[in-house]
Each structure stands twice: as C-alpha cells, then as structure tokens.
C-alpha cells in the first residue's frame, strides 16, 4: 500500500525519478496528488475542474495536465495553471481522458464523450512548439498510452471497444501508421484501462472491474494475471528505487456499500514489487528558440515567448508574468480561444 486514501476515480500514476515523487489524480474530485516515496506526506492540489492526466515537464516543479478545460501547465508550488490549448472546446460533451509523454517529449492525449455512447473520441499530439494535431479518431473511450522501449511501437487502449491497439511509431516526426488490434480483450476479466510497458517490452494493463493487472508479451499473448485487492484498478506506473515498484491507482466510484465492504481498499494507490523494472518517464519538452519575436505573417500572429509558441488569429490583450521555471512569459488572449 502506498496511499490508503479513497479516491473517487484515481488515475494516471506518474513517477518522477528526479525527485522520487509519485503523482496521481482523482478525476472526479479535480485533485492532483503528490507524495515523495518514504515520506508518507501527501500534497493535494485542487485544480477546480475534472483532471484526467498529467505528465512531467522539464521543470520538476511543473506538470503538464489534461483538464476539462484543455491542456495546462500546473505549477506545483503555487497551484497556478497556465492555459495552453483546448482542442475539445467546440465539443462540450467531450473531454480529455488518459495521456502520456512520448520518447521525444510530445504530450499525447485521448478524448472521450461523457456518455461513451458514440465513437467520437480523438487522439491528439501536442508538440513542444504549442501546435497540436488530431492523429486518429473514432474511439469510444480513449485510454492508456505508452511506447515500446525501442520507440518503434505505440500502444493505445479503447476501453469502450475493449481493445488494445498498436501503431507503428516514428520517434523523430511523431507520426503513427498501420493501426492494428494488438489484443481484443473481450474474453478477459474486466475492461482494459491504463497501461505501461516495462523495460523488457512487456505490456502491463489494469483491468477495470476485473480486479487484476495483466501482462502481455510483445506478441500479444497473456503472460501473467496478477490479482489486486481492488475491484477497479485504473492505471499503472513503475517507480521507486530501480523503478522496481509497480504503483496501481484505483477507483471507488459507483460502488455499492456491500461492494465497498468487500473491496475496502477501493480508491487507494497500491504498490507491488515488479518482476521486471520499468522505464523512467520522459518530460514534456518545450521548443527552445534563441530569441523572442513578435510579428505578423500573412495575417497570422506568431508569438515566440521563452521558447513557447502560441498561434492566434488576433490578439485581445497581453500581459507579462512570471511562470516559475518557465521564465518571464507574455500571455495573450486570442479571439476564438
């Protein structure tokens, strides 16, 4: 047991090897948690809206977060949030779900319709220059994302269809191709949720409602099923010394009283010894440029500010502010978001 609390919907565990800290979120409560291993003190940051996923940033005191209101930088010292972009702003019934940083430092995030009734979920890639791309779509419930140790493959869960997909992945460009069904999990116990690959390239997936985490070989065969003392494990991270501990988030949402009595650890963060260590998380990498520029290019305002580019069709207002480890930034409101 790492944390004995009861999250409503615990998700997205994330280990920072630089600080020995585990992060995770409670989606429903709008809370980001941080706990240094071995300390026992948990810091809770209220982000005032649903929070689906987090990723490391180059500054260890900053996370990139997928909120109901889009991508934000979250300053862990103050709780301040800096808006980046919201590709789902025109679809109020849709939101971000799981997300992860790829081997080159880009932040990938899937989306889902609240009802999960239609396959309208999208898969987005946020690049370090501030631009984002819809790289695939047509999912009922976008979920866990991770990459093979050699960077050749990207794995992606659609919980709604109970499928784990695999794409060919190009690290340099961030392009994905050749989507294929890696595993159809419909015959397995539970629904696939968050996943993580270990250093050997095996795929570990939490099975919501199945009370287990399952390890698949790179060929898609079930290699191991590990029972856990929660009905709804939601996601996985490797951390601790040597990345040899598996942290598992869980949920208590919609469980009846008799189910909570049977599964009293629901909502806790579990810790298990990992038979094979994991790999360190990669931080989101902002494009670094040599100078600041501001100008018009064919009617498009391009702002390059301390290495971060924002693209707007017009400027409403700008102000200068300090953004912690990100330096002095010029924040501008843009027409149309």
């Amino acid at each position: 047991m790492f944390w004995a609390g009861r999250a409503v919907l615990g998700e997205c565990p994330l280990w920072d090897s630089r600080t020995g800290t585990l992060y995770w979120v409670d989606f429903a409560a709008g809370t980001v948690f941080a706990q240094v291993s071995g300390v026992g003190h948990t810091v809770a940051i209220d982000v005032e809206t649903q929070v689906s996923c987090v990723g490391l940033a180059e500054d260890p005191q900053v996370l990139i977060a997928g909120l109901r209101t889009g991508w934000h930088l979250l300053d862990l010292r103050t709780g301040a949030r800096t808006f980046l972009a919201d590709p789902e702003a025109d679809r109020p019934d849709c939101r971000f779900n799981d997300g992860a940083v790829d081997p080159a430092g880009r932040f990938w995030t899937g989306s889902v319709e609240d009802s999960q009734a239609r396959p309208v979920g999208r898969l987005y890639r946020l690049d370090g220059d501030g631009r984002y791309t819809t790289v695939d779509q047509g999912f009922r419930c976008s979920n866990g994302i991770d990459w093979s140790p050699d960077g050749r493959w990207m794995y992606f869960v659609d919980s709604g269809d109970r499928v784990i997909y695999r794409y060919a992945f190009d690290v340099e460009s961030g392009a994905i191709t050749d989507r294929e069904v890696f595993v159809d999990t419909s015959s397995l116990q539970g629904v696939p949720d968050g996943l993580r690959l270990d250093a050997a390239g095996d795929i570990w997936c939490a099975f919501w409602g199945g009370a287990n985490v399952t390890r698949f070989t790179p060929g898609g065969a079930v290699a191991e099923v590990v029972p856990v003392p929660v009905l709804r494990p939601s996601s996985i991270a490797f951390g601790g010394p040597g990345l040899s501990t598996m942290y598992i988030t869980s949920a208590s949402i919609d469980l009846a009283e008799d189910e909570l009595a049977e599964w009293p650890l629901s909502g806790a963060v579990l810790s298990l010894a990992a038979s094979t260590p994991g790999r360190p998380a990669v931080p989101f990498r902002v494009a670094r440029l040599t100078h600041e520029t501001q100008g018009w290019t064919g009617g498009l305002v391009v702002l390059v500010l301390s290495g971060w580019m924002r693209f707007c069709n017009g400027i409403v207002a700008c102000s200068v502010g300090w953004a912690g480890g990100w330096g002095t930034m010029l924040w501008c409101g843009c027409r149309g978001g």
Side-chain angles (χ1 to χ4, degrees):
M1 175 74 65
F2 181 79
W3 180 70
R6 176 167 284 177
V8 179
L9 182 45
E11 269 286 3
C12 200
L14 174 69
W15 177 261
D16 190 341
S17 297
R18 300 168 299 183
T19 61
T21 303
L22 184 74
Y23 301 100
W24 70 98
V25 308
D26 186 336
F27 165 80
T31 305
V32 175
F33 294 97
Q35 183 171 318
V36 176
S37 179
V39 172
H41 173 66
T42 305
V43 175
I45 302 171
D46 182 8
V47 298
E48 301 177 345
T49 188
Q50 294 168 335
V51 52
S52 301
C53 56
V54 290
L56 302 181
E58 291 173 299
D59 181 347
Q61 295 301 319
V62 174
L63 296 177
I64 182 167
L67 309 183
R68 182 82 197 199
T69 52
W71 290 300
H72 296 251
L73 297 177
L74 174 64
D75 190 315
L76 299 167
R77 293 156 294 206
T78 66
R81 301 182 301 279
T82 301
F83 175 79
L84 300 178
D86 184 6
E88 292 288 346
D90 62 340
R91 304 200 303 169
D93 294 331
C94 295
R95 58 168 176 82
F96 287 150
N97 206 30
D98 212 343
V101 179
D102 74 19
R106 296 167 290 241
F107 193 51
W108 294 68
T109 316
S111 71
V112 59
E113 187 179 44
D114 286 323
S115 67
Q116 300 183 27
R118 299 181 299 158
V120 296
R122 296 171 179 167
L123 180 59
Y124 296 104
R125 185 190 70 229
L126 176 65
D127 295 340
D129 62 7
R131 288 177 283 192
Y132 61 84
T133 304
T134 303
V135 293
D136 206 354
Q137 56 190 323
F139 307 107
R140 288 192 179 276
C141 183
S142 303
N143 230 312
I145 308 169
D146 203 9
W147 290 263
S148 61
D150 62 7
R152 294 179 55 213
W153 306 104
M154 187 180 89
Y155 297 84
F156 173 65
V157 173
D158 185 346
S159 298
D161 285 341
R162 300 184 68 177
V163 166
I164 303 174
Y165 290 112
R166 183 172 65 180
Y167 297 85
F169 182 71
D170 183 81
V171 175
E172 183 176 354
S173 68
I176 56 173
T177 55
D178 302 328
R179 184 177 84 184
E180 62 180 355
V181 173
F182 173 67
V183 178
D184 181 342
T185 72
S186 57
S187 64
L188 303 181
Q189 186 69 34
V191 175
D193 200 330
L195 59 72
R196 195 70 61 212
L197 273 69
D198 63 27
D202 284 353
I203 299 90
W204 291 86
C205 186
F207 275 78
W208 176 276
N212 76 83
V213 295
T214 295
R215 177 168 64 91
F216 299 94
T217 69
V222 173
E224 185 178 4
V225 177
V226 179
V228 295
V230 291
L231 181 61
R232 293 177 172 170
S234 56
S235 194
I236 299 164
F238 289 94
L243 300 175
S244 59
T245 299
M246 181 184 297
Y247 297 103
I248 303 167
T249 49
S250 66
S252 60
I253 191 170
D254 295 334
L255 291 180
E257 288 300 320
D258 59 333
E259 292 175 308
L260 289 172
E262 182 180 359
W263 305 95
L265 299 182
S266 295
V269 179
L270 310 177
S271 60
L272 305 175
S275 55
T276 302
R279 298 167 297 136
V282 177
F284 177 61
R285 293 175 182 147
V286 172
R288 299 298 174 187
L289 298 169
T290 57
H291 59 278
E292 298 183 1
T293 62
Q294 176 175 336
W296 292 87
T297 306
L300 183 71
V301 178
V302 181
L303 297 178
V304 183
L305 308 167
S306 299
W308 182 263
M309 294 193 291
R310 294 291 307 277
F311 295 82
C312 313
N313 289 324
I315 298 179
V316 176
C318 293
S319 61
V320 177
W322 176 250
W326 297 83
T328 301
M329 304 286 278
L330 179 64
W331 309 115
C332 296
C334 305
R335 284 197 290 271

